[in-house]
Amino acid sequence: MKISPFSKTYEGRCVLDFPGIELQHGRIYAIVGANGSGKSTFAKILAGILRPDKRDRLFSGGAIGYMPQKNYAFRMSTKANLLLNGNDMARANALMDAVHIRHLANKRADRLSGGETARMALARLMMKQYDLVILDEPTAAMDMETSLLAEKIIVEYVKKTGCALVLVTHSLQQARRIADEVLFFHEGRLLEVGTAQQMLTSPEKDETKRFLEFYGF
Amino acid sequence: MKTSLMKAIELIASMDAELLDILSVTAQMSLQSSIIALLIGLPIGIWLGACRFPGRNVLLVANRTLMGMPPVVCGLLFYMLFSGVGPFRHLRLLFTVDIMIMAQVVLITPIVVGNMETYVAGVAPAVRETAKGLGLSGTKTFLLLCSECIYQIISAYLLAFSRSIAEVGAVSMVGGAISWKTNVMTTAIMQYTNRGNFSLGVALGIILLSLSLIVNIVISLLQRRLSR
């Protein structure tokens, strides 16, 4: 699956200049970088939420699924939220079990806690099969235990569906745990790409080294 | 005040024919105008709140201006259009309940639009982003957005109804406050006060407030039921 090059300019300032990339099925790509490096803008453009400067087709694959940074729970039950994205009740139950929210199935989703909402949103997205899945900091509202649970589910989903998954994350540990490749963004540019092992242990660019050092790598 | 309260109770208890007529005209005008305003204002408000297009800001400013339109100006406009020298005189609508409803619709629709637009503009980006992320259709996204706005729709209706039932300037101008025909609670209060019958005016005021209270209670109960 190919993602064409694109850029995004806000008020005359280029905030993202992406050179394009080829994604492989069944692989997880972690997008890392400091605040304001363009990670979320990249995810939003890829998901079709934001328009790039040139409105060409960016993604040559099929269906795209996207989980935004701020998860929105519709004013209905947790179960109904999942069923918005497909009618398979058995799958909805299995997913609610997997993310430990089955006991909240009939509770109003807009009254769930932040962590519960994030788990519901993840389960809701996984009701359907996509060719490319983009998750923008899916575990930001979760505690460590739940975060590890979510990571396990994400990996299983990728294995089962064979989709390519783009994971925007602040956590380098998370990238190391589940990503096959890491894309390092710096000031709106894709600075370095490599396998998780290679990027986190022997980065080439000085900016990447400084960023990793700052996070204790 | 005590006398007025007693008079209000007496009026209701006696089922005074003129009072019943005033109540009937008031209910007809307020309910019809608020429902029509909701039906017109709701899609426009949602559209203005959810969509971004050239000229949207101009429409928003125009709507905000209309929200602040003095009722007498609206009444004057309708009077000029439908009076003996106006272009719509042949419709013979002046001093009828129909023209009172029309004037009210013009007055309260911008309030519904403004109310919905403000709310939808806040909630729409998150709804749209989530729906798009899930790959939901445009129709499904719109229906979801409407369902997310259900409390606001009720609230907008309440606002429209309250404004309609309490309005006096436009309805007295185009309706003429004719007894047994176009006299509503507010115009009747004015008439009684002008005649020096203050206690009857206050009694009608108490009935008007009670009506408003009942509608508010019913709508609050409805909101509470929906929020479960």
Side-chain angles (χ1 to χ4, degrees):
Chain A
M1 290 177 285
K2 196 177 175 184
I3 297 172
S4 309
F6 63 87
S7 62
K8 180 70 183 171
T9 309
Y10 276 125
E11 293 166 356
R13 193 173 74 90
C14 181
V15 294
L16 186 64
D17 187 11
F18 185 71
I21 194 169
E22 189 103 27
L23 300 178
Q24 304 295 320
H25 284 280
R27 286 180 78 80
I28 297 178
Y29 298 83
I31 311 289
V32 298
N35 282 341
S37 58
K39 303 189 299 292
S40 286
T41 307
F42 170 77
K44 281 185 176 176
I45 291 175
L46 208 54
I49 306 296
L50 284 179
R51 283 179 177 157
D53 292 339
K54 284 182 188 169
R55 293 177 194 178
D56 298 331
R57 193 175 164 81
L58 298 179
F59 178 57
S60 60
I64 300 178
Y66 167 65
M67 182 174 153
Q69 205 174 94
K70 282 183 188 166
N71 295 300
Y72 188 83
F74 291 102
R75 207 176 281 174
M76 52 183 80
S77 72
T78 303
K79 185 170 63 186
N81 261 274
L82 264 72
L83 293 173
L84 276 175
N85 202 24
N87 299 318
D88 191 343
M89 193 62 223
R91 178 149 180 78
N93 285 335
L95 281 164
M96 283 191 288
D97 278 333
V99 295
H100 298 179
I101 55 165
R102 181 74 177 266
H103 62 292
L104 303 168
N106 294 316
K107 189 178 173 180
R108 278 264 302 268
D110 56 316
R111 290 177 183 164
L112 299 178
S113 71
E116 289 166 347
T117 306
R119 280 183 279 157
M120 180 279 296
L122 191 63
R124 185 173 60 189
L125 186 77
M126 289 179 175
M127 283 290 289
K128 222 188 260 175
Q129 194 167 327
Y130 301 94
D131 295 286
L132 172 64
V133 172
I134 305 149
L135 307 178
D136 195 350
E137 304 205 24
T139 59
M142 297 180 195
D143 58 31
M144 194 59 197
E145 193 188 345
T146 325
S147 188
L148 291 172
L149 175 75
E151 286 173 15
K152 187 173 155 252
I153 291 155
I154 291 167
V155 171
E156 277 171 8
Y157 179 81
V158 172
K159 272 188 192 157
K160 195 176 166 188
T161 64
C163 69
L165 190 135
V166 172
L167 173 76
V168 177
T169 181
H170 260 111
S171 166
L172 292 171
Q173 282 86 355
Q174 186 171 65
R176 185 166 61 182
R177 281 194 297 269
I178 65 169
D180 299 299
E181 287 192 48
V182 174
L183 286 75
F184 178 68
F185 277 65
H186 180 72
E187 293 178 353
R189 286 178 301 126
L190 175 62
L191 210 65
E192 206 170 337
V193 186
T195 62
Q197 180 66 18
Q198 174 199 333
M199 277 281 290
L200 299 172
T201 54
S202 49
E204 286 176 10
K205 308 276 184 184
D206 289 341
E207 289 89 344
T208 321
K209 284 176 191 165
R210 273 199 296 276
F211 179 75
L212 293 175
E213 273 168 23
F214 185 78
Y215 283 94
F217 272 77
Chain B
M1 192 69 191
K2 200 178 167 185
T3 321
S4 302
L5 193 64
M6 289 303 293
K7 214 149 206 169
I9 294 165
E10 265 173 37
L11 265 176
I12 297 165
S14 68
M15 300 285 277
D16 180 78
E18 191 174 359
L19 174 73
L20 289 180
D21 181 71
I22 291 169
L23 279 172
S24 156
V25 176
T26 307
Q28 188 190 348
M29 183 203 66
S30 309
L31 287 170
Q32 285 192 28
S33 61
S34 52
I35 289 169
I36 295 169
L38 191 74
L39 291 175
I40 300 170
L42 202 64
I44 299 174
I46 292 177
W47 174 59
L48 281 174
C51 304
R52 297 289 175 273
F53 53 88
R56 176 178 172 270
N57 284 336
V58 176
L59 291 177
L60 288 180
V61 171
N63 188 64
R64 279 169 202 154
T65 309
L66 290 174
M67 281 169 82
M69 177 158 66
V72 283
V73 174
C74 178
L76 180 66
L77 189 75
F78 272 85
Y79 192 90
M80 282 159 59
L81 290 171
F82 290 89
S83 68
V85 290
F88 302 121
R89 59 186 176 276
H90 61 281
L91 294 173
R92 295 178 178 278
L93 284 173
L94 202 62
F95 307 131
T96 63
V97 177
D98 288 344
I99 197 169
M100 288 158 70
I101 292 169
M102 284 162 69
Q104 291 283 47
V105 168
V106 169
L107 273 176
I108 60 183
T109 301
I111 296 169
V112 175
V113 171
N115 204 269
M116 289 309 299
E117 182 274 321
T118 309
Y119 182 78
V120 171
V123 77
V127 170
R128 208 168 26 216
E129 191 171 295
T130 304
K132 176 122 185 153
L134 296 173
L136 304 182
S137 68
T139 313
K140 203 166 181 178
T141 306
F142 177 75
L143 292 176
L144 273 172
L145 184 61
C146 291
S147 95
E148 290 301 290
C149 296
I150 192 75
Y151 296 128
Q152 200 59 30
I153 293 171
I154 295 170
S155 173
Y157 177 73
L158 186 62
L159 203 65
F161 178 81
S162 304
R163 174 79 193 251
S164 183
I165 202 170
E167 207 281 313
V168 63
V171 289
S172 64
M173 216 161 195
V174 297
I178 303 164
S179 296
W180 302 97
K181 194 183 176 194
T182 58
N183 212 6
V184 289
M185 299 290 280
T186 49
T187 50
I189 290 169
M190 268 182 66
Q191 279 179 348
Y192 288 128
T193 309
N194 289 340
R195 288 179 204 156
N197 196 344
F198 295 111
S199 55
L200 205 56
V202 175
L204 281 176
I206 290 168
I207 294 170
L208 185 64
L209 274 173
S210 307
L211 276 176
S212 190
L213 179 72
I214 291 165
V215 172
N216 267 284
I217 289 171
V218 169
I219 287 179
S220 296
L221 288 174
L222 182 68
Q223 276 185 322
R224 192 178 291 180
R225 197 189 167 100
L226 282 169
S227 72
R228 273 180 204 154

